[in-house]
Amino acid sequence: MHFSLNDQAVNNFKAHSTIASLNGRDYTVMRPGVLYPGVWGWDAAFYSLGLTWSFDLNRGLDELTVSSLGQCANGMIPHILFYDAEVAREQYYPAPNVWENQSASGLPVSGISQPPVFASALHKIREIAKHKGDSASIDENKERFEQLFQVAMRYHKWWYDERDIDQIGLVATVHPWETGRDNACEWHDALARIKGTRDYIDFPFDPAVRKDIRINRKGQSTVAYRPSNDEYKMFTYLLMKFKDNEYSLKNVDGEYRTDFPFMVYDVTVNAWLQASNLALFALADHYGDKDDKALIRKWIRRTGRSFNLLWNKIDKTYQSYDILIKKVTGVSCNASFMPLLFEQKESRVYTLMETLTEWRSKYHFKYMVPSSLPSHLDYDEDCYWRGPVWTIMNAVIAYGFNASAKRFENPDFATKAQKLANEIIEIIAQDGEFYEYHNPVTGEGCGAPDFGFTSVAYLIAKDIVENPVFGGLDRCIRR
Ligand code: 2M8
C-alpha cells in the first residue's frame, strides 16, 4: 500500500506541475489543485519538501524561487502569485484585476500574506538533501541558498515592521485568507461584529463572481464543501478595505492603524513565524552573517516571550487572539497544536497530547485532528476549515511531537508522532485518493482530488514512520 500511495503522491506532483513564464524565464511550478491557478505562499513552501523528496533539491529550490518572485517591494511574500493573469481571471475569484497589486518585479500578486513556512521549508529541503546523501547539490546551490535566505530575512523583517502592531513580537493578520484557514470557526465572533455594521451591510457583492463551485469527480456539487456566499462577501469586503489602505496596516504617517475591522494574532501565522525564525537561525550559520544572527535572535526572543498570550488554560490549547477585544478566541482547532514545532515547556506538550486524547474520546472522531470541534455552532464535518481533517495540519502536528520528542528526549511524544503519521497514511488509503481534506467522523475525502498539500502530508507521514526520532522506538531511553 505504501508503495502505490507513494507513486500516486509523486504522480500528483507531476500532474500539477505546469510551466510558468515569469520575467522572461520559464519555471516549473506546482498548482495546488484544480481550483487554484497560481502559486500560494504556504502551499509552495510545503511542495518544496515533497518535490525534494520525490525528485531532487533543484526542484525544491525552484518552487521556493518561484514563490520568491512574488515578493513585494516591502518584503511581503504574497498569499498568491498569479503566473497567468488571464487564466486566473477565467478560473479564479478574486483574480489580479480585483487585487491590483504587484511584486517588486511587476508580477501580479494578492495584497496579503500567508503563514510564513518559507524559511522552515528552505531549511528542511537542505536537511532532506543531506539525508538523501546529496551534499554535492547543497554545495552547488550555495548561491541560491544565499539568495533565498535573504528573501526570507526580508520577509520576516516585513512581518515585524508591518504587523507587530503592539511591538510585542506577535504579528497581526488582517484577513482570514492570510491565516490559511479561510472560514475557520475561530473567526466567527470577530466577523459577526463586522456583519452588524452599516458599512458591511451596504457593501455590494454579487456571488456570481465566484468560480469555485463545481461538480466533483463523485458527481456532487462542491457547494457544501466550500465557504458560503456570505463568507465570500466578507472575504471581498475585507480585501477591499485593506486595498483602500494600499495593503498596509500603517497610515500615511507610518503609524499603525488600530481601526482595521479584522485583526488577530493568528496562531498558525505566529507559530510558523517562530518556527521559521529558528530555521533562519540555523541557516544563518551557512548563509548569513553575525548581524543576521543578532536580528534573528532578537525576533526569537520577542516572539517567544509573548507566545503565552495565545495559551488558553481552560481549553488547554493555543488559540488565536482577537486584537480588537484583547482576548483569545476561545475556539480550539487543529491550528491550536502548531506551536508544538518549538514548544519550550515539556509539561505543555503533555497537556496538548492529553487534549487530543480527550477530544477523540469525547467526540467519537474516527480521525483526528478536526479543524473545529462539534461544540462550536458553526461546526460542519464536511465544510472546509469548519470541521474536516487537513492531513497537512496533522503532518505538522506529528512533526511537532517528533521535534518535542527530540527536544525533551521523551519517547511518549515520539509514539504520538507515529500514531498521527500512521493515521495520515490510513486516512488517505481509505479511499486511495489524495483529497484536499477529510470528514473526521467517516474519513471520507472531500474537496479537490489529487491535492498537493495531501501529497506532501503523505510524504511527511512516511518520513516520520520510516525515520522515528529515536531510530526505533523500542530502543529509546527515558531520561
Ligand atoms: C484555500 O484558500 C484559498 C484562498 O487563499 C481559496 O479557497 O480560494 C486554503 O485552503 C488555503 O490554506 C490554501 O493555501 C489555498 C490553496 O491551496 O486554498
Side-chain angles (χ1 to χ4, degrees):
M1 179 59 80
H2 279 206
F3 289 116
S4 72
L5 283 181
N6 191 72
D7 292 349
Q8 273 188 59
V10 177
N11 283 340
N12 289 343
F13 293 134
K14 285 190 186 142
H16 290 308
S17 289
T18 174
I19 301 293
S21 290
L22 299 162
N23 302 337
R25 265 195 59 187
D26 282 352
Y27 295 88
T28 308
V29 292
M30 276 280 295
R31 176 180 167 140
V34 282
L35 289 183
Y36 309 104
V39 176
W40 263 256
W42 74 330
D43 297 55
F46 282 117
Y47 298 154
S48 72
L49 269 54
L51 295 165
T52 307
W53 264 312
S54 306
F55 307 108
D56 55 29
L57 179 63
N58 272 304
R59 189 64 185 84
L61 283 167
D62 284 352
E63 196 69 21
L64 293 179
T65 302
V66 172
S67 187
S68 78
L69 296 178
Q71 186 162 45
C72 296
N74 61 8
M76 180 186 81
I77 296 186
H79 104 294
I80 314 173
L81 159 67
F82 297 99
Y83 42 77
D84 188 329
E86 280 317 302
V87 168
R89 200 170 176 161
E90 275 162 31
Q91 301 181 359
Y92 190 74
Y93 173 82
N97 59 312
V98 179
W99 289 102
E100 296 184 293
N101 198 28
Q102 284 192 347
S103 74
S105 61
L107 297 170
V109 294
S110 68
I112 54 173
S113 197
Q114 255 191 340
V117 184
F118 190 94
S120 297
L122 188 63
H123 180 243
K124 183 70 189 169
I125 60 175
R126 196 175 181 279
E127 297 290 303
I128 296 172
K130 240 197 297 180
H131 189 77
K132 284 171 85 177
D134 194 7
S135 298
S137 291
I138 298 176
D139 295 343
E140 280 158 24
N141 280 297
K142 184 159 191 290
E143 215 173 298
R144 290 183 87 188
F145 270 110
E146 278 165 358
Q147 277 164 5
L148 293 172
F149 173 80
Q150 286 307 329
V151 166
M153 286 297 292
R154 284 199 294 279
Y155 183 34
H156 284 222
K157 272 185 203 147
W158 171 81
W159 278 111
Y160 286 102
D161 290 349
E162 266 288 318
R163 301 299 188 84
D164 187 2
I165 57 173
D166 290 323
Q167 297 289 289
I168 55 170
L170 294 177
V171 296
T173 292
V174 295
H175 197 294
W177 280 336
E178 214 162 44
T179 70
R181 299 177 292 118
D182 309 359
N183 65 341
C185 296
E186 264 205 292
W187 320 135
H188 178 100
D189 290 0
L191 300 180
R193 288 198 306 266
I194 302 173
K195 281 182 193 152
T197 63
R198 192 75 258 160
D199 196 39
Y200 178 76
I201 294 165
D202 292 344
F203 181 75
F205 176 71
D206 177 3
V209 294
R210 292 181 66 178
K211 313 264 186 205
D212 56 318
I213 306 299
R214 314 234 171 139
I215 302 297
N216 70 13
R217 263 189 209 164
K218 297 177 183 173
Q220 307 151 331
S221 160
T222 56
V223 73
Y225 299 146
R226 296 283 308 169
S228 66
N229 286 339
D230 282 352
E231 277 146 16
Y232 262 82
K233 173 177 172 181
M234 179 61 77
F235 296 154
T236 307
Y237 173 79
L238 290 172
L239 186 169
M240 291 304 175
K241 282 260 140 204
F242 203 44
K243 182 174 163 183
D244 285 348
N245 208 48
E246 295 177 9
Y247 298 120
S248 173
L249 254 190
K250 290 184 176 169
N251 64 22
V252 280
D253 299 322
E255 292 153 352
Y256 293 113
R257 284 179 49 180
T258 48
D259 59 343
F260 196 72
F262 181 83
M263 288 200 290
V264 297
Y265 291 135
D266 171 44
V267 66
T268 319
V269 165
N270 282 284
W272 276 108
L273 185 68
Q274 183 70 332
S276 287
N277 281 337
L278 293 161
L280 275 179
F281 196 73
L283 286 166
D285 277 342
H286 310 279
Y287 310 114
D289 59 24
K290 73 174 189 342
D291 292 344
D292 293 324
K293 283 197 118 171
L295 184 57
I296 303 164
R297 201 178 286 119
K298 196 172 106 194
W299 292 336
I300 293 173
R301 276 209 208 106
R302 256 167 83 171
T303 302
R305 263 203 298 263
S306 296
F307 222 91
N308 208 35
L309 198 63
L310 308 189
W311 179 252
N312 184 329
K313 62 174 190 275
I314 298 164
D315 293 343
K316 294 185 286 172
T317 58
Y318 285 100
Q319 294 172 353
S320 301
Y321 183 94
D322 191 329
I323 298 172
L324 295 173
I325 55 162
K326 299 191 180 351
K327 285 206 307 198
V328 282
T329 59
V331 181
S332 302
C333 59
N334 47 3
S336 300
F337 303 88
M338 298 288 108
L340 283 167
L341 288 168
F342 52 84
E343 179 63 66
Q344 294 301 309
K345 293 185 194 143
E346 187 173 10
S347 58
R348 204 161 269 182
V349 182
Y350 264 115
T351 305
L352 288 167
M353 198 162 72
E354 278 161 18
T355 301
L356 282 178
T357 310
E358 271 170 35
W359 286 7
R360 193 191 289 268
S361 58
K362 182 165 174 196
Y363 298 108
H364 310 291
F365 291 123
K366 182 169 179 195
Y367 291 108
M368 295 292 280
V369 179
S371 48
S372 175
L373 292 176
S375 49
H376 196 280
L377 69 138
D378 285 343
Y379 171 80
D380 180 337
E381 65 193 39
D382 283 326
C383 185
Y384 220 37
W385 290 92
R386 292 248 160 122
V389 169
W390 285 73
T391 51
I392 191 69
M393 298 293 273
N394 281 19
V396 174
I397 299 169
Y399 252 157
F401 277 113
N402 240 12
S404 306
K406 214 184 292 176
R407 202 173 302 128
F408 304 111
E409 294 178 28
N410 188 322
D412 294 348
F413 304 152
T415 309
K416 187 70 185 172
Q418 291 293 311
K419 188 168 165 46
L420 283 166
N422 275 307
E423 235 178 63
I424 292 171
I425 297 172
E426 205 183 298
I427 199 170
I428 295 171
Q430 180 167 310
D431 44 18
E433 296 228 35
F434 291 70
Y435 277 102
E436 192 174 1
Y437 39 91
H438 292 82
N439 180 308
V441 180
T442 63
E444 195 191 345
C446 324
D450 312 328
F451 205 66
F453 260 171
T454 315
S455 309
V456 180
Y458 171 79
L459 294 176
I460 293 177
K462 194 167 133 286
D463 181 45
I464 292 172
V465 170
E466 288 175 1
N467 303 296
V469 150
F470 295 102
L473 289 174
D474 48 336
R475 282 191 279 121
C476 70
I477 301 154
R478 264 187 186 281
R479 262 191 303 173

